[in-house]
Amino acid sequence: VSSGAARLPVAVLGAAGRMGERLCALIGESADLTLAGALVRPGSALAGRPLGAQEGPVATDRIEAALAAARVAIDFTPAGATLAHARACSEAGVALLVGTTGLGAAEQAAIEVAARCIPVLCAANTSLGVHVLAELVRRAAELLPADFDIEILDIHHRAKRDAPSGTAYLLGEAAAAGRGVTHDGAAVTGRTGLAGPREAGSIGYAALRGGDVVGEHSVYFAGTGERLTLSHAATDRTVFAAGALRAARFLARQGPGLYTMADVIRG
Ligand SMILES: NC(=O)c1ccc[n+]([C@@H]2O[C@H](COP(=O)([O-])OP(=O)(O)OC[C@H]3O[C@@H](n4cnc5c(N)ncnc54)[C@H](OP(=O)(O)O)[C@@H]3O)[C@@H](O)[C@H]2O)c1
């Protein structure tokens, strides 16, 4: 970007959160982006105040105000807020990257409706490594016979709200695609008590929560006499924030539609 080129104005939704803070910091350090809006929880004491030491807009708890000067919004709020954010972005003509996980059917539907009017990308994981892992998982599921049991483990920090993680599901979807089965028909979550023997062909999930673990995922292909494990560990949230900003730059160049991180990586 030349020094005279206009910076891309980006709004961060959930600006005071773990991811929001990293995003605002990276935008502040970048040469081609500018923080155009910073949304905090409605009623938050942070509304009306500058965020940290950042230059740029004061935090607001009104989505319309956060979007007013933005071309792309990056949403890392808890799942309940995403529906309203998708509608507001659609009305304001602002492209939307949803990094929030644990979305329900109503939110997914709102995202699909919004994608008719604006560019939208919904990614449970914005790191590069996890998307390479998903591709390897898909290939392993394709190559290994169906009697290799597929089990997915995710480990996250103690404050994470949803389980299994959105990334665990992303990996399960990749495994199901490789095996040529429907994910929702194969997925088994939350085994407890007398759960009985493992159902053949199922894709099992387990989640550990504790401490400050940023995010670790392992996919096990457990056969008889051998086991293949594919893993990814994120050690710094900056990888998710940097990937989200790369996706925001990508969205700013697209027309309305629903995009994936694979589209971003392909460029
Ligand atoms: N896609 C990825 O690569 C990726 C990576 C990491 C995390 N995530 C996901 O991103 C989401 C956020 O994670 P996090 O660790 O950053 O969580 P977090 O630290 O709890 O941050 C969420 C922030 O959103 C604020 N908030 C709540 N409701 C809001 C609303 N209606 N409008 C605006 N802001 C609102 C919260 O404020 P209060 O604290 O005041 O309630 C908090 O500051 C989770 O779903 C997580 O799973 C995705």
Side-chain angles (χ1 to χ4, degrees):
V1 175
S2 75
S3 56
R7 290 167 181 250
L8 175 66
V10 178
V12 175
L13 316 183
R18 278 177 288 265
M19 282 301 301
E21 281 186 355
R22 290 305 309 140
L23 285 160
C24 292
L26 280 194
I27 291 169
E29 290 163 17
S30 81
D32 62 332
L33 306 174
T34 183
L35 185 64
L39 184 74
V40 292
R41 179 180 44 77
S44 166
L46 296 169
R49 298 190 185 174
L51 269 184
Q54 302 292 320
E55 281 183 31
V58 294
T60 177
D61 60 358
R62 292 182 43 248
I63 180 74
E64 296 77 14
L67 298 179
R71 278 187 59 208
V72 183
I74 302 182
D75 188 356
F76 277 86
T77 56
T82 301
L83 199 149
H85 295 168
R87 285 186 185 150
C89 285
S90 178
E91 279 163 22
V94 173
L96 173 63
L97 167 65
V98 181
T100 302
T101 62
L103 301 176
E107 284 144 343
Q108 298 280 6
I111 285 167
E112 279 166 33
V113 170
R116 293 181 201 149
C117 305
I118 54 170
V120 182
L121 193 155
C122 196
N125 195 303
T126 48
S127 77
L128 175 64
V130 154
H131 291 275
V132 174
L133 173 64
E135 187 55 33
L136 297 174
V137 166
R138 192 192 60 73
R139 186 79 180 118
E142 196 174 73
L143 291 172
L144 292 167
D147 65 349
F148 275 71
D149 299 326
I150 302 175
E151 294 282 313
I152 302 174
L153 175 69
D154 83 88
I155 314 178
H156 281 89
H157 55 89
R158 58 169 73 94
K160 183 160 179 63
R161 298 171 198 228
D162 51 319
S165 71
T167 303
Y169 282 128
L170 180 158
L171 296 169
E173 297 271 5
R179 204 165 247 191
V181 299
T182 311
H183 173 263
D184 292 357
V188 174
T189 57
R191 292 188 193 105
T192 181
L194 284 173
R198 190 179 196 285
E199 198 178 320
S202 58
I203 297 175
Y205 289 88
L208 304 186
R209 297 289 176 262
D212 60 357
V213 180
V214 173
E216 297 183 14
H217 293 87
S218 294
V219 181
Y220 298 86
F221 293 86
T224 304
E226 60 177 331
R227 187 172 73 237
L228 172 67
T229 310
L230 298 172
S231 296
H232 176 267
T235 54
D236 187 333
R237 281 187 181 80
T238 304
V239 294
F240 303 131
L245 294 183
R246 184 171 164 187
R249 293 181 182 100
F250 168 86
L251 284 178
R253 301 193 300 271
Q254 311 306 317
L258 201 49
Y259 301 91
T260 65
M261 280 306 288
D263 298 324
V264 176
I265 290 163
R266 278 195 295 266

